[in-house]
Amino acid sequence: MIVTLIVLCEVGFWVLLAAGLATRYLLKMPRTGMALLLGEPLLEVVLLVATAIDLKNGGEPGWEHGLAALYIGYTVGHGHRTVKWLDGHAAHRLGGAPPPPKPPKYGMARARHEGRIWLGTLVGGAIATVLLLLALWYVGDDGNTDGLRSWMFAAWRAVGIHGLIALSYFVRPKKDPEAGSAVAARDPEHVPDLLVRRAGKDEEQVR
């Protein structure tokens, strides 16, 4: 039941998102569209309540409960960014707004961008951990909770791996190839050639 509900919540997320954007920009009803978009967190509430009820009714804590916690955590950590990104593109293509700014590609600006995305993963891992800890407390020592603990470790393993990827952009910032070519053109090894050319031009002017 929990797995089916996760699938339904995921489908419902995209259905509400599409309906909200279409209502805002195609039907020109921004308030109604915003109400539909704001209704998306209710899906996570439904999933959370259903998971708690399943455990309360004697359901054995398993991988599906851990997956539900990770899904809720991911939605909290990254859902708003996904909605904002799609809303910007919908406003551009359907509402005539200017195109949304693209994320930076190079240098420390790209590193900071990757760091902000990682913060969403960190929030998601923290939310999932809190939910799993509540489930462990709720079940107590009566049931097998190894599955829930393994999902907790999986959440922080994902946070750690993503953190290392984000950190790599700070350690070795990605360089702009165009900026590199401009610097190469001003390399000291080209200075003598430039001086020779300038000297030749000066001689021609004297003549």
Side-chain angles (χ1 to χ4, degrees):
M1 178 186 112
I2 299 299
V3 177
T4 302
L5 194 56
I6 292 174
V7 174
L8 291 176
C9 286
E10 178 67 15
V11 173
F13 175 86
W14 292 106
V15 169
L16 278 178
L17 181 59
L21 295 177
T23 303
R24 290 190 70 182
Y25 298 110
L26 292 179
L27 301 181
K28 307 299 182 183
M29 301 171 63
R31 292 185 179 179
T32 304
M34 181 59 68
L36 290 172
L37 294 177
L38 292 177
E40 289 181 343
L42 294 177
L43 297 174
E44 280 65 53
V45 174
V46 170
L47 180 59
L48 178 60
V49 172
T51 304
I53 292 175
D54 185 61
L55 291 173
K56 182 175 179 61
N57 292 336
E60 186 70 17
W63 65 270
E64 62 274 14
H65 299 94
L67 181 60
L70 259 65
Y71 174 81
I72 295 173
Y74 176 85
T75 305
V76 173
H78 292 286
H80 67 287
R81 187 170 49 85
T82 302
V83 172
K84 183 179 179 181
W85 183 81
L86 290 173
D87 182 66
H89 283 276
H92 169 56
R93 297 191 177 275
L94 303 178
K102 295 182 179 181
K105 294 182 179 181
Y106 308 106
M108 294 305 296
R110 172 65 184 272
R112 289 189 292 269
H113 173 73
E114 295 294 334
R116 285 191 293 268
I117 296 177
W118 174 76
L119 286 178
T121 302
L122 178 64
V123 170
I127 294 295
T129 300
V130 170
L131 294 176
L132 290 169
L133 288 174
L134 289 174
L136 291 172
W137 170 79
Y138 186 77
V139 174
D141 299 329
D142 297 333
N144 183 9
T145 57
D146 292 339
L148 297 179
R149 297 181 188 277
S150 65
W151 279 102
M152 196 182 306
F153 293 134
W156 287 104
R157 186 161 56 245
V159 172
I161 293 174
H162 190 183
L164 290 176
I165 295 174
L167 182 62
S168 67
Y169 286 92
F170 285 92
V171 176
R172 298 187 64 181
K174 193 174 181 180
K175 297 181 179 179
D176 187 348
E178 295 183 359
S181 62
V183 172
R186 297 192 298 269
D187 194 273
E189 68 179 2
H190 300 293
V191 172
D193 296 334
L194 296 175
L195 292 176
V196 170
R197 293 173 188 171
R198 181 173 295 178
K201 291 180 180 180
D202 293 340
E203 290 179 1
E204 291 178 359
Q205 291 177 357
V206 171
R207 292 175 185 175

